[in-house]
Each structure stands twice: as C-alpha cells, then as structure tokens.
Amino acid sequence: MEVRVFDTYEELSREAANIIIAHVRQNSTAVLGLATGSSPLGLYRELIRDHKENGTSYQNVMTFNLDEYVGLEKTHPQSYYYFMMENLFNHINIPLDHINIPNGTAKDIAAECQRYNERLAQHTIDIQILGIGANGHIGFNEPGTPFDSTTHFVKLDEKTRQDNARFFSSIDEVPTHAITMGIQNIMAAKKIILLASGTSKADAIYGMIKGPVDPQLPASILQTHSDVLVFLDKEAASKL
Ligand code: F6R
C-alpha cells in the first residue's frame, strides 16, 4: 500500500482525479469501479470540471458501482443510482448502457446479485475507487464478511445505518439491506484508490494499515493487494 497524506480534501480529490483522467485519456475503453458517499464527491467534481474544460471523453468507458440500497427506487434521492447520476454521470458523456449499478428494487435479489457478479466477471476493473466505513467496511462488506465473498445481499451494520442517517430525515428511513460487490470482486481490480478524510475515519485507517489482516476490519485485506493507493487528509491520517 502506498499512503499519501494531503493538507486538504480538495488536494486529495484533485490528485486522485488526475490519476483517473490520465488513465481514461490513455485507455478510452477504461473500466472504472466507483463508490458513492461523501469521500469521492470532490473527485467527481474534478472529473466533471476536466470533462468540461479539457474534453476528456467517457464515450467508451464502462463503470461498475460498488453497491446499492435494497428497496429504494432509482428516483429516490438517496438511492445510489440517483447519487451517481446527480454527482457524475449527468455531467459527463458516458452512455447510460455503460453504467452498471446493482438494481436494489429487483424482484429477485439473489438473481440480481448473480447477474451483477456475472457481469463483473466479464470485465476487469482498471481502477477501483473506495471509501471506508468508520467500522472498516469497503463497499457494504461489513465486519465479519469473508474475504472470498462475491456480490451479495447484506444486512447493514447498525453503525453504518447511523453513519448514513445524516442523508435521510430519520434513521428509520435508512434501508436495512443492500446489494454489494464482494471483497473478492474488489480485490480483482488492477488498481485501487482508497479515499478517506476526517477524524471519524482515523481508527479504521490505522487498523487497515497497521493492524492484522482480519475480516473484522474488511479494509485490512487491501494490505495483500499489489497496487493500492491510500489518499488521506491529515485528520484521517492522524492516528498513523
Ligand atoms: C459507498 C460505499 C461505502 C462508503 C463508506 C464511506 O458506495 O461503498 O463503503 O465508501 O461508507 O462513506 P463516506 O464516504 O460517506 O464516509
């Protein structure tokens, strides 16, 4: 793992965006793994700015998102589909059919997990963007998830629901379940960039980098991947 600490979230976001932009400019058919949540918002803003100013094209790029809540329609402002459209896809020239996000309202969730997993198996993600939960989750792979897991239906940890309640009007509205790429899917990416900012992530970051490789802290598996960049602001790096 290569750890880089930045003074500000904006700087961290810009540097991460530059890696993606350079890759997409050199590989027009790049496959990107994407995350939602607060951590990649600055990075997405930079990709949009660059697309508008420099014309970097996403016409042939394909994307796979990590996860989606179960039970929220695509039109729900807190669905990850809506999030991605609002914060990235509506502002770049990616065709809709190049976007892959698990369908959280599929009638048969097990079949949807299998479909997503098969689609992932047909592509290799060049760069996977990750955030990290305060409990060390990546995607929605909560503590205790086996490292060999593939796309699956998951019951969200109470800590995760509490952390995400800030986006909903009350915790009761936070979905209890999600579909997530598994840890094995994430580890299959050629390159991984994990972004973390703020003191609330400091313990998880410490455990991920300095602790044992342990399913109780899912992100610790990244120690065994050959190409991981960890981009932190000073607060997230404060326990290292
Ligand atoms: C989001 C995801 C989650 C988040 C994590 C951190 O698609 O898979 O693992 O990356 O919960 O969320 P933020 O960035 O909001 O702190």
Side-chain angles (χ1 to χ4, degrees):
M1 278 199 232
E2 184 184 331
V3 181
R4 294 190 203 162
V5 182
F6 297 90
D7 284 338
T8 63
Y9 173 69
E10 286 69 29
E11 212 179 314
L12 167 167
S13 301
R14 211 164 33 240
E15 288 301 315
N18 285 342
I19 294 174
I20 296 197
I21 292 163
H23 184 79
V24 169
R25 290 184 85 92
Q26 286 199 340
N27 307 272
S28 62
T29 58
V31 182
L32 303 177
L34 301 177
T36 57
S38 319
S39 305
L41 276 176
L43 155 68
Y44 296 156
R45 276 195 292 269
E46 285 297 314
L47 296 185
I48 293 167
R49 191 189 53 74
D50 163 74
H51 170 71
K52 293 202 187 321
E53 286 177 10
N54 306 317
T56 303
S57 177
Y58 295 82
Q59 189 68 43
N60 298 312
V61 167
M62 177 163 292
T63 63
F64 282 92
N65 263 81
L66 285 166
D67 41 21
E68 178 59 286
Y69 287 122
V70 166
L72 298 191
E73 297 290 342
K74 285 179 174 176
T75 50
H76 190 292
Q78 296 310 330
S79 76
Y80 285 171
Y81 181 90
Y82 192 96
F83 176 102
M84 289 307 302
M85 296 310 291
E86 282 286 298
N87 292 300
L88 181 63
F89 298 144
N90 279 340
H91 311 284
I92 59 174
N93 65 332
I94 188 165
L96 270 183
D97 63 352
H98 287 202
I99 294 167
N100 295 279
I101 303 179
N103 176 5
T105 55
K107 282 210 178 66
D108 183 342
I109 294 290
E112 172 60 11
C113 292
Q114 197 180 338
R115 182 196 68 81
Y116 203 70
N117 215 46
E118 282 165 9
R119 189 129 179 86
L120 275 167
Q122 290 159 4
H123 301 274
T124 302
I125 292 177
D126 296 313
I127 305 178
Q128 173 69 56
I129 300 300
L130 293 179
I132 183 171
N135 64 1
H137 74 210
I138 45 176
F140 275 138
N141 294 284
E142 301 286 23
T145 306
F147 287 148
D148 63 358
S149 56
T150 55
T151 308
H152 60 285
F153 176 62
V154 63
K155 182 175 183 334
L156 297 177
D157 219 61
E158 265 323 291
K159 170 76 182 135
T160 299
R161 292 187 67 241
Q162 283 161 17
D163 287 347
N164 289 358
R166 66 189 194 278
F167 300 114
F168 294 81
S169 33
S170 82
I171 184 138
D172 299 335
E173 286 181 22
V174 184
T176 53
H177 291 80
I179 296 174
T180 183
M181 260 191 216
I183 294 178
Q184 196 182 94
N185 303 118
I186 294 171
M187 290 294 282
K190 287 191 208 156
K191 182 184 198 73
I192 295 175
I193 306 177
L194 184 139
L195 312 172
S197 67
T199 42
S200 65
K201 302 294 173 68
D203 284 327
I205 289 296
Y206 178 87
M208 172 180 90
I209 295 172
K210 304 269 188 189
V213 175
D214 182 341
Q216 287 313 318
L217 202 148
S220 63
I221 190 65
L222 299 176
Q223 291 177 25
T224 69
H225 189 285
S226 59
D227 188 358
V228 177
L229 285 174
V230 181
F231 279 16
L232 308 174
D233 68 0
K234 285 192 280 196
E235 289 75 18
S238 59
K239 298 244 165 109
L240 291 176

